[in-house]
Amino acid sequence: AAGVIQSPRHLIKEKRETATLKCYPIPRHDTVYWYQQGPGQDPQFLISFYEKMQSDKGSIPDRFSAQQFSDYHSELNMSSLELGDSALYFCASSFLAGGTSYEQYFGPGTRLTVT
Amino acid sequence: AQSVSQHNHHVILSEAASLELGCNYSYGGTVNLFWYVQYPGQHLQLLLKYFSGDPLVKGIKGFEAEFIKSKFSFNLRKPSVQWSDTAEYFCAVNEWYGQNFVFGPGTRLSVLP
């Protein structure tokens, strides 16, 4: 069965550079979530999109932005990278039915290392 | 705001021992409940979920969880753990009409061979 695809799987950037992470949801899923998992920490919700509109916002820094495109894939843009941005970034997708978002299916994550 | 707590930060067991990982949440409304597992170097995977009905939920790999509404708990259990169960386990809550998932801090399980 198709799963959530994230690219790249690994990314190394220097401080103050920019990075773009991509997420391709499971076909027919209309909702995308982004999570950040720092070393030894639980995943923290960043932002979500439903039908190409931002639906919820968590602890996403102002230096980050994201969007969902017409094909439902999403991109997380990160600028002025800091060492503390080094983390595993998960994307998840789900199908929003009747106002309830059913279980999320997670992608493999993109490991971002900022040096 | 919702919060999810997990009772133990790190649990160490020998193979064949029984496991129970505690999870409590703060939201008073109707919720969906989940347990995820993250094996070393891998992404999160869904172990089991509860939406409604029988409060005893069976998941993959012999895991089960019991929803006790009066205690706001959703504890994960396994009668006999294996070395391959070594992983990080996350409890998560989603409001019935919400989109945001709230994860607990995770419990690291180490199973000694």
Side-chain angles (χ1 to χ4, degrees):
Chain A
V4 178
I5 298 171
Q6 290 188 248
S7 68
R9 294 293 307 278
H10 301 274
L11 189 59
I12 300 175
K13 290 285 186 178
E14 294 187 355
K15 282 192 304 183
R16 292 179 289 278
E17 285 193 319
T18 61
T20 297
L21 311 185
K22 297 183 180 182
C23 169
Y24 297 86
I26 291 174
R28 292 182 293 281
H29 278 194
D30 52 18
T31 308
V32 169
Y33 307 78
W34 286 97
Y35 294 88
Q36 177 193 58
Q37 185 180 13
Q41 299 177 9
D42 57 296
Q44 296 296 317
F45 171 69
L46 292 178
I47 195 168
S48 64
F49 292 88
Y50 167 64
E51 285 291 344
K52 293 152 278 185
M53 300 288 289
Q54 181 182 309
S55 55
D56 204 353
K57 193 173 182 179
S59 53
I60 184 169
D62 292 340
R63 298 177 289 107
F64 295 4
S65 65
Q67 56 181 325
Q68 186 180 31
F69 295 86
S70 58
D71 63 351
Y72 294 98
H73 94 272
S74 178
E75 295 184 3
L76 178 66
N77 298 295
M78 311 160 73
S79 62
S80 302
L81 288 169
E82 302 173 357
L83 294 177
D85 295 329
S86 294
L88 190 60
Y89 290 84
F90 287 103
C91 167
S93 74
S94 71
F95 174 64
L96 184 64
T100 298
S101 179
Y102 289 96
E103 69 269 19
Q104 299 185 358
Y105 293 85
F106 286 86
T110 294
R111 183 163 297 282
L112 172 66
T113 303
V114 181
T115 62
Chain B
Q2 291 183 46
S3 67
V4 179
S5 61
Q6 293 184 235
H7 302 173
N8 306 96
H9 178 66
H10 191 188
V11 173
I12 302 173
L13 296 172
S14 298
E15 275 193 315
S18 64
L19 169 72
E20 181 160 1
L21 302 183
C23 171
N24 286 88
Y25 63 95
S26 65
Y27 184 66
T30 303
V31 294
N32 303 317
L33 299 157
F34 307 82
W35 275 97
Y36 288 88
V37 61
Q38 184 178 23
Y39 297 102
Q42 297 185 24
H43 61 279
L44 288 172
Q45 299 174 39
L46 180 67
L47 265 182
L48 48 79
K49 61 184 184 284
Y50 172 80
F51 286 170
S52 63
D54 188 344
L56 186 61
V57 180
K58 295 195 182 298
I60 61 172
K61 305 187 182 187
F63 286 92
E64 65 178 31
E66 184 176 12
F67 171 50
I68 302 179
K69 189 175 181 179
S70 61
K71 295 185 178 180
F72 299 90
S73 70
F74 190 55
N75 292 355
L76 181 71
R77 299 195 292 248
K78 186 171 183 177
S80 176
V81 294
Q82 301 172 311
W83 176 80
S84 58
D85 293 325
T86 295
E88 188 94 15
Y89 291 81
F90 293 92
C91 180
V93 174
N94 161 233
E95 295 175 49
W96 181 239
Y97 276 98
Q99 293 189 41
N100 194 5
F101 274 50
V102 178
F103 283 87
T107 296
R108 181 171 298 279
L109 173 64
S110 298
V111 180
L112 307 178

